[in-house]
Amino acid sequence: MSRVYARRTLRRLAVFASTAALAVTGLLVTAPAAQAAPPTPVSAATARTYLSQLTVRAEGSSSGYSRDLFPHWITQYDTCNTREVVLERDGVNVVQDANCAAVSGSWYSPYDGATWTVASDLDIDHVVPLAEAWRSGASSWTTTQRRSFANDLTRPQLIAVTDNVNQAKGDQDPAEWLPPRTAYRCTYARMWVHVKHSWNLSVDSAEKSALQSVLNAC
C-alpha cells in the first residue's frame, strides 16, 4: 500500500467517524440537490466571437503580484465561504457540518476524470489564475475588484478539481497548459474566454492562438 493511498484511507475513515458522530447529535445538514458543475460557459461560437473582441497584448509583469491582493475565500452566507459553496455546488450528495465544512460527498474532477469522496483531495481552481489575471490587467484593479474576481460564483471561474492537477496547472494559460482529459478542453476554453471577456482581461498572441485552435475544433 502506497503512503499516499494509506493517508487518504485514514482521512476517509476519520471523515466517516466524524460523520457518524455528528449525525447522532443532529448537527449535520444535507446540502440541496447539487448542480455538480460551475455556471455554463458561453457556446463555442460565442466564445470565438468574444475571443476576437479581447485586447491582444504582451503579457504584463508579475512584479508586485501576491495572492493576498485577491482576498479569498470570503464568506458567502452564514459560515459558508466560497470554497465550501463550490464544493457543495460541484459535488453530489454533499453533507456539511454545522460550520459548513463538507464531511462527505462525491466529486468528479472534469480536468482528469477522477472521482473523490474526501473534500481535502480537491482544490478549487481559478480557471483564469489570479497571477494570470494580474498580468492581463488586474494589476490596475482595486482590491474590491480583485476580491470579486477571486470569489466569482456568477461566471465559470471556479471549479472543484483534483488537487495535484490544479497544482500542475499553476498560473499557466492555455498556450502552456490544458486539462489532461481532452474531452473537457472545449469546455475549458469556453470558460476561459467567458471569464476574460467578462472581466475585460487581455490575451497574449500565443494564448489567443491556442484558444482559437481548441474552439475551432469544438
Side-chain angles (χ1 to χ4, degrees):
M1 178 183 294
S2 71
R3 187 174 301 174
V4 171
Y5 180 81
R7 187 167 61 250
R8 286 178 176 162
T9 300
L10 288 173
R11 281 206 303 255
R12 290 187 177 98
L13 290 173
V15 168
F16 178 81
S18 174
T19 301
L22 288 169
V24 171
T25 59
L27 292 177
L28 287 178
V29 291
T30 302
Q35 171 178 329
T40 302
V42 295
S43 68
T46 300
R48 287 192 288 270
T49 298
Y50 280 5
L51 182 59
S52 71
Q53 296 170 350
L54 294 178
T55 298
V56 180
R57 62 170 173 242
E59 197 167 78
S61 170
S62 294
S63 178
Y65 168 72
S66 168
R67 286 178 68 85
D68 293 340
L69 295 172
F70 293 78
H72 65 289
W73 304 111
I74 63 171
T75 300
Q76 293 291 340
Y77 59 86
D78 298 330
T79 59
C80 301
N81 66 25
T82 307
R83 172 180 166 83
E84 297 301 341
V85 170
V86 175
L87 285 173
E88 183 273 322
R89 182 198 69 188
D90 289 2
V92 176
N93 297 324
V94 176
V95 176
Q96 298 169 309
D97 66 17
N99 294 316
C100 207
V103 295
S104 67
S106 177
W107 293 269
Y108 175 75
S109 169
Y111 283 6
D112 59 336
T115 297
W116 303 98
T117 56
V118 178
S120 60
D121 286 324
L122 297 130
D123 279 352
I124 305 304
D125 180 39
H126 289 96
V127 171
V128 175
L130 303 183
E132 165 67 22
W134 178 269
R135 298 188 296 262
S136 304
S139 60
S140 64
W141 291 353
T142 65
T143 299
T144 298
Q145 288 174 303
R146 288 192 287 262
R147 179 188 297 112
S148 295
F149 178 81
N151 298 276
D152 189 357
L153 294 168
T154 302
R155 301 165 187 88
Q157 162 67 343
L158 300 173
I159 183 170
V161 296
T162 302
D163 53 7
N164 60 0
V165 173
N166 180 54
Q167 290 152 23
K169 170 185 172 179
D171 64 356
Q172 299 177 93
D173 71 30
E176 304 159 318
W177 186 93
L178 287 166
R181 180 170 163 260
T182 57
Y184 200 69
R185 290 181 178 179
C186 178
T187 301
Y188 183 79
R190 289 160 51 206
M191 295 165 76
W192 185 282
V193 173
H194 186 156
V195 172
K196 281 221 161 177
H197 187 270
S198 296
W199 287 94
N200 196 29
L201 294 169
S202 64
V203 291
D204 62 49
S205 58
E207 175 188 354
K208 181 175 182 178
S209 178
L211 288 164
Q212 285 176 325
S213 179
V214 174
L215 291 171
N216 287 341
C218 290

